[in-house]
Amino acid sequence: MSDSQTTRVMEQAAGNPFQNALAQLDAVADVMGLDDGIRAELRTCQHELTVNFPVQMDSGTRRMFKGYRCQHNNALGPYKGGIRYHPDVSLDEVKALAMWMTWKCSVVGLPYGGGKGGIIVNPKELSVTELESMTRRYASEISPIIGPWKDVPAPDVNTTGQIMAWIMDTYSREQGNLTPGVITGKPLSLFGSEGRFEATGRGILYVGQEACPYKGMPLDGATVAVQGFGNAGTVAACLLETAGARVVAASDTSGGIYNAKGIDAGALTRFKREGGRVAESGVGDAITNAELLTLPVDVLVPAAFEGQITEKNAGDVKARIILEAANGPISPEADEILNDAGAFIVPDILASSGGVIVSYFEWVQNINGMYWDEEEVNQRLHKIITKSFRRVTEVAEQRRLPMRKAAYVVAVQRVVDAIEARGIYP
Ligand code: GLU
């Protein structure tokens, strides 16, 4: 079985991502004693838009594409969340990711709700012209429901700054007004923010710098395995290495490599950015994505997709600290197994929040028309993410909860307070 097939089978085994998102919410709603009406509201996406549209292919033929934009909740502010291009995108996946964005923005105190979008496509099979046409048409299809004070998309799996630039341009032309704040993750040449590209990976570093000492383990010298050597994974690996950690394993869709002596994360990142695949890098022994998850390492960084650690492999995970850089990499059943085994999991909504935190800075800069240097961006990111980490550990200690539940208590409570303050209209 190929590695991507393995991933898909594991994903199915892990269940439907939206069902997992609901199970996580229900578990915390019980702990909080949430009112049934509010619980029902939070279990639902406020809007689920499906768009079907044609694109003119280079061959001259028309091809139909299906995309989504789901808006989970906007009690705290405009919906916020990325757009992903992947052949496995589904409505339930986008709904789950939208709900997770609500909690992610809430737990770190951003003035945003949660949304997510996606197109069912393998973008690597498209030419640049086809990619641009598909992106612009999708942007046009969702344009009635996005906007700086409505819903602010951003990059996610397989979407780039260039794609954000096309969406901003399409939206601005349709509105007849330049609107940089409609989307974040734009290139620096087009109203982007310093530090945005590295932000998710940098957030992982800052969270690791808190989590390791908290668990009495120095980050300096800790061994790290990174599943998913994409944007977040490469940056996290390089920064953790600079902080003294030893990156011993990495993987992408081609498979992975393991070298107990350590991998040069910077060199592997350059190899990857030049179009290389991790399995072909030759810097360690070949392993599968599944094997990477069960290596004897101190810190595991799942930075690929949801549903990677399930009840089937959770018992084999040896890492003491898990920093979730991907959204939803651990199923609810696996979560329990890992918690019982004493693993310290920094949940996705907190660990991977660096990206959306700096997206917020980008939006603030766009609205104000004033731009910050990288040092200022990184300092502000550090302040927000460490403060949020400490707040979640406090709640975890006070209420004797694992980190995920504690993070959800903080996140859900903030949304509930806003819903109650708003009341029901009319
Ligand atoms: N796609 C990223 C995430 O899942 C970033 C979202 C954003 O910046 O709005 O957190």
Side-chain angles (χ1 to χ4, degrees):
M1 207 187 288
S2 79
D3 224 62
S4 65
Q5 277 170 317
T6 313
T7 307
R8 264 198 298 280
V9 170
M10 286 170 65
E11 221 172 77
Q12 280 155 11
N16 172 308
F18 189 61
Q19 294 306 323
N20 287 346
L22 288 179
Q24 289 165 338
L25 172 61
D26 285 342
V28 80
D30 290 340
V31 170
M32 295 168 73
L34 264 199
D35 168 87
D36 280 349
I38 297 259
R39 187 192 292 226
E41 189 167 334
L42 295 178
R43 285 172 57 89
T44 321
C45 280
Q46 291 173 337
H47 308 115
E48 299 165 12
L49 176 66
T50 301
V51 293
N52 295 293
F53 56 89
V55 172
Q56 175 90 39
M57 305 303 279
D58 292 347
S59 60
T61 55
R62 294 163 81 90
R63 181 173 152 194
M64 289 299 291
F65 288 87
K66 188 185 280 293
Y68 306 100
R69 183 74 190 172
C70 292
Q71 301 175 325
H72 172 250
N73 187 284
N74 65 350
L76 286 169
Y79 305 101
K80 185 85 193 80
I83 293 170
R84 105 174 13 183
Y85 289 175
H86 196 276
D88 294 340
V89 162
S90 67
L91 181 59
D92 272 351
E93 181 191 45
V94 177
K95 281 162 63 183
L97 291 162
M99 184 187 286
W100 286 328
M101 283 310 301
T102 302
W103 313 140
K104 191 183 292 195
C105 293
S106 179
V107 77
V108 294
L110 303 181
Y112 287 140
K116 203 82 173 198
I119 303 181
I120 305 173
V121 61
N122 178 358
K124 287 163 196 149
E125 285 169 2
L126 301 184
S127 71
V128 177
T129 323
E130 290 167 344
L131 187 66
E132 178 172 352
S133 305
M134 182 192 73
T135 298
R136 286 187 183 275
R137 178 61 185 253
Y138 171 75
S140 172
E141 296 282 340
I142 66 166
S143 67
I145 63 161
I146 63 173
W149 294 99
K150 268 194 207 174
D151 181 352
V152 186
D156 197 74
V157 174
N158 290 332
T159 51
T160 59
Q162 174 62 73
I163 291 172
M164 302 305 113
W166 288 328
I167 296 177
M168 190 216 81
D169 184 70
T170 306
Y171 182 86
S172 296
R173 284 179 194 286
E174 287 190 350
Q175 299 292 314
N177 258 320
L178 173 68
T179 319
V182 68
I183 197 158
T184 59
K186 300 179 295 295
L188 274 174
S189 58
L190 196 74
F191 306 102
S193 174
E194 293 288 349
R196 175 62 186 85
F197 180 78
E198 297 82 12
T200 310
R202 183 168 288 278
I204 291 292
L205 168 72
Y206 292 158
V207 161
Q209 283 174 328
E210 292 292 309
C212 288
Y214 183 73
K215 293 310 286 178
M217 177 204 289
L219 178 58
D220 194 1
T223 54
V224 181
V226 180
Q227 188 207 31
F229 222 53
N231 175 352
T234 49
V235 176
C238 292
L239 292 176
L240 287 166
E241 181 178 82
T242 312
R246 184 153 44 103
V247 179
V248 295
S251 67
D252 61 13
T253 48
S254 69
I257 39 113
Y258 174 53
N259 186 339
K261 293 202 198 80
I263 289 160
D264 181 340
L268 186 59
T269 298
R270 283 190 294 280
F271 175 77
K272 195 57 209 182
R273 298 227 169 109
E274 279 155 20
R277 289 147 66 89
V278 171
E280 287 150 17
S281 63
V283 296
D285 299 331
I287 52 168
T288 63
N289 262 293
E291 283 164 348
L292 180 139
L293 298 170
T294 60
L295 288 172
V297 292
D298 298 318
V299 180
L300 175 64
V301 182
F305 289 99
E306 53 271 14
Q308 297 301 298
I309 303 178
T310 68
E311 72 267 39
K312 298 223 166 62
N313 57 354
D316 300 324
V317 172
K318 295 169 197 75
R320 285 172 54 204
I321 296 181
I322 304 178
L323 309 176
E324 292 187 331
N327 293 303
I330 301 180
S331 75
E333 299 79 15
D335 219 23
E336 271 185 36
I337 298 169
L338 289 163
N339 285 330
D340 290 347
F344 183 74
I345 305 170
V346 186
D348 49 4
I349 60 169
L350 176 60
S352 75
S353 63
V356 73
I357 292 172
V358 178
S359 273
Y360 165 57
F361 299 158
E362 182 176 330
W363 179 82
V364 168
Q365 293 170 82
N366 291 157
I367 284 168
N368 288 303
M370 257 185 68
Y371 289 82
W372 311 342
D373 62 20
E374 194 183 346
E375 198 188 339
E376 179 161 6
V377 169
N378 291 345
Q379 271 171 6
R380 286 178 186 264
L381 168 61
H382 184 261
K383 190 171 166 194
I384 292 183
I385 209 164
T386 39
K387 198 170 139 204
S388 308
F389 178 90
R390 290 175 193 167
R391 172 85 189 110
V392 171
T393 52
E394 260 169 40
V395 172
E397 285 167 23
Q398 278 161 10
R399 304 187 66 156
R400 293 179 207 283
L401 293 171
M403 287 291 278
R404 187 183 318 276
K405 278 213 177 102
Y408 267 68
V409 167
V410 173
V412 174
Q413 190 60 55
R414 217 177 137 236
V415 176
V416 169
D417 289 347
I419 289 177
E420 284 176 349
R422 277 173 181 253
I424 299 183
Y425 173 86

